[in-house]
Structure formats: C-alpha cells, structure tokens
C-alpha cells in the first residue's frame, strides 16, 4: 500500500493459501492495510497468482529471545552474532547503517558478506521475499510452539516464516532485521546456524528506522538467490 502525501510505500504482506481461502486472506490483508499505524493508504495493491509448481518444505528456525535492555547493547549483540557466522566487520557496519537509517526500503538489501557491497539491482525497492507460508500440517504445531513462549502473534509468525525461507536459500549466510514500525522495537538476527535470535530494544520507541539485510556468501550466484527469494514457493514446516 502507499500513503497519500508523499508516494511512499507504507507496508506490504504476502502469503500462500488455497483457492478456498483467497477471499478471507485478501480481506484480512486489506483490513490490515487500512488499519496500519504508520499511515492511511491512498492506494492498496492486491496481487493474486496461481502457483505453478508445488511449494518446497523447509524447516522452521528455532526461536530464542535474548536479554537486551538497550540499543547500544543490541548493536554489540548484532555484531557478535554476525561475526560468528563469518560476516566481515565492514559488511556488518554497512548493514547497521542501512537498518538504522530513516530512509526505509520496501524490501531487503542483499549484501556481500565479505566486501559489504550491495548486490540488489534496485536499491530503493530492495529484494522482496514472497511466495511463502506455513505448511498446513504445521499450522497448529507452530502456533502451539510460539504460544508456549508467549510469542504467538501474526507479526512474529510472519517474520519467523520469512526468516526461515531466507535461511533456507542456498548462498545466504545470515539476515538482520529491524521493523520499520515506530512502536515495534524487537528485531532479530537469523541464520541456519544461529536460528532466529530475537533482540529486544534493537531500536528506541518512536524511531522510524528499520530494514532488512540478507548477507550473501562471496561468489554466490546472485540471480539464483533473487529468483529463490522472490519466486520460489516455500512452506515452512515443523515436521
Ligand atoms: N521481503 C524483504 N524485505 C521485507 C519484506 C519482504 N517480504 N517485508 C518487509 N521487508 C523489509 C522492509 O525493508 C521493511 O522496512 C523491513 O523489512 C521491516 O519490515 O520476533 O515487523 O514488516 O518479535 O516492519 C521482526 C521481529 C519484526 C518479530 C519485523 O518487519 C519478533 C517486522 P516490517
Ligand atoms: Mg512494517
């Protein structure tokens, strides 16, 4: 959706569903756009596509919430986690500048894990992860798992599903995420090895910054990565 005054992107959402679910899901997305805390949209775009291939199943990342009382400590935790999976200092610093910048993107930045070079073709739009959802056979188990931690919200489910798809992409080493919603101050670092590590107070309340960075293994095939993230249907599963 886009807001009225400046033609800025406000928010987006995506999922996979059955044909029977289309009207319910579409309505819920429209209602979410109309009730968005950041702005009332002047335009809402809805795209519905029939999948061609069968979605592949990928595992849900394990979830952990770290202790983090301040934004300063959050930055240290981010650096420590990303260094642990081989992201260079230079790339980490560039990524921090992107996610703490007020100029938010619609999608994510793709960054070379070694040089910090940005690899996304359109730096304003970024890469948008779509065609993702929860395996119908895992919907209840995933809700139960998150409920047991007091984390069963739509936002967390969607972020965990996205992070699990991204982590399953060959050539991606890790992800860093901060919500661009001014009132949502928990972010995460995720990877196949680290799991989904939630970082409270990653930004201060009221901050308009936010964003996502996907770190790419040096020499990986960028076109294939973009195709996987944007096009390949993936369902996350607890089985
Ligand atoms: N693909 C790529 N990047 C995206 C996508 C997507 N589908 N959706 C959002 N982004 C980027 C974009 O730059 C946004 O500005 C940024 O991510 C943040 O998006 O465990 O709410 O939807 O408590 O605001 C994570 C923590 C919440 C949840 C993430 O992100 C938890 C969140 P938002
Ligand atoms: Mg948002």
């Amino acid at each position: 959706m886009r807001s009225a005054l400046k033609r800025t992107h406000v928010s987006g959402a995506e999922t996979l569903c059955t044909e029977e679910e289309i009207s319910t899901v579409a309505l819920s997305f429209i209602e979410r756009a109309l009730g968005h805390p950041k702005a009332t949209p002047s335009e809402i775009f809805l795209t519905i596509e029939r999948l061609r291939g069968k979605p592949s199943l990928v595992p849900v990342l394990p979830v952990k919430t770290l202790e983090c009382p301040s934004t300063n400590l959050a930055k240290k935790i981010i650096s420590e986690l990303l260094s642990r999976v081989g992201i260079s200092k230079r790339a980490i610093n560039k990524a921090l500048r992107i996610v703490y910048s007020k100029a938010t993107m619609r999608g994510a930045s793709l960054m070379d894990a070694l040089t910090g070079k940005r690899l996304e073709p359109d730096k304003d739009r970024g890469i948008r992860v779509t065609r993702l959802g929860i395996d119908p056979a895992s919907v209840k188990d995933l809700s139960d798992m998150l409920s047991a931690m007091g984390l069963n919200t739509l936002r967390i489910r969607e972020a965990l599903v996205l992070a699990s798809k991204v982590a399953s992409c060959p050539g991606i080493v890790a992800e860093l995420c901060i919500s661009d919603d001014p009132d949502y101050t928990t972010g995460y670092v995720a990877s196949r090895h680290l799991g989904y590590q939630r970082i409270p107070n990653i930004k201060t309340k009221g901050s308009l910054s936010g964003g996502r960075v996907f770190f790419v293994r040096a020499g990986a095939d960028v076109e294939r990565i973009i195709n996987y993230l944007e096009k390949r249907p993936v369902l996350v599963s607890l089985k």
Side-chain angles (χ1 to χ4, degrees):
M1 65 168 146
R2 289 190 198 145
S3 73
L5 298 171
K6 294 180 287 148
R7 297 251 160 224
T8 52
H9 173 80
V10 176
S11 185
E14 40 275 306
T15 193
L16 294 175
C17 70
T18 62
E19 202 164 332
E20 293 71 46
E21 291 165 331
I22 289 176
S23 47
T24 314
V25 169
L27 184 63
S28 75
F29 277 178
I30 292 167
E31 283 172 346
R32 211 197 303 182
L34 291 173
H36 201 276
K38 265 175 73 181
T40 304
S42 59
E43 293 173 299
I44 298 170
F45 299 90
L46 185 64
T47 305
I48 302 168
E49 293 167 312
R50 185 180 296 282
L51 285 188
R52 273 186 248 113
K54 251 196 145 182
S56 27
L57 295 184
V58 307
V60 177
L61 293 175
V63 176
K64 182 174 174 183
T65 302
L66 302 174
E67 191 88 39
C68 178
S70 75
T71 304
N72 264 341
L73 183 59
K75 288 180 184 166
K76 291 203 185 93
I77 292 173
I78 293 167
S79 298
E80 205 276 314
L81 289 173
L82 292 175
S83 302
R84 222 194 283 169
V85 291
I87 318 289
S88 74
K89 257 263 105 48
R90 189 192 172 117
I92 293 171
N93 288 334
K94 271 192 94 170
L96 287 172
R97 278 203 292 279
I98 292 173
V99 294
Y100 282 103
S101 154
K102 255 182 253 159
T104 56
M105 298 159 69
R106 274 174 62 195
S109 179
L110 262 193
M111 181 175 286
D112 186 298
L114 218 55
T115 63
K117 184 167 181 262
R118 291 178 67 171
L119 306 168
E120 69 276 18
D122 179 339
K123 292 193 178 47
D124 293 320
R125 176 181 177 276
I127 304 302
R128 189 95 194 160
V129 185
T130 60
R131 304 187 190 181
L132 70 176
I134 304 167
D135 175 17
S138 293
V139 167
K140 182 166 184 311
D141 290 349
L142 183 67
S143 282
D144 290 349
M145 179 198 83
L146 289 172
S147 291
M149 296 183 280
L151 298 176
N152 193 20
T153 65
L154 178 63
R155 184 192 298 271
I156 295 175
R157 281 197 306 274
E158 285 185 346
L160 179 60
V161 167
L162 187 147
S164 299
K165 177 176 178 182
V166 172
S168 75
C169 177
I172 298 246
V173 191
E175 175 188 355
L176 167 63
C177 168
I178 300 182
S179 173
D180 55 16
D181 294 18
D183 287 336
Y184 201 80
T185 57
T186 299
Y188 66 84
V189 167
S191 88
R192 237 168 304 177
H193 296 291
L194 299 167
Y196 180 87
Q197 303 222 19
R198 306 178 63 242
I199 307 171
N201 300 303
I202 202 164
K203 71 174 191 178
T204 49
K205 234 183 166 54
S207 158
L208 293 172
S209 61
R212 277 184 162 94
V213 176
F214 305 151
F215 297 93
V216 172
R217 184 164 21 80
D221 185 337
V222 175
E223 230 173 280
R224 270 187 90 130
I225 289 176
I226 295 176
N227 187 63
Y228 182 95
L229 296 173
E230 295 199 327
K231 302 276 163 61
R232 176 78 164 271
V234 165
L235 292 175
V236 304
S237 162
L238 270 176
K239 306 280 165 221

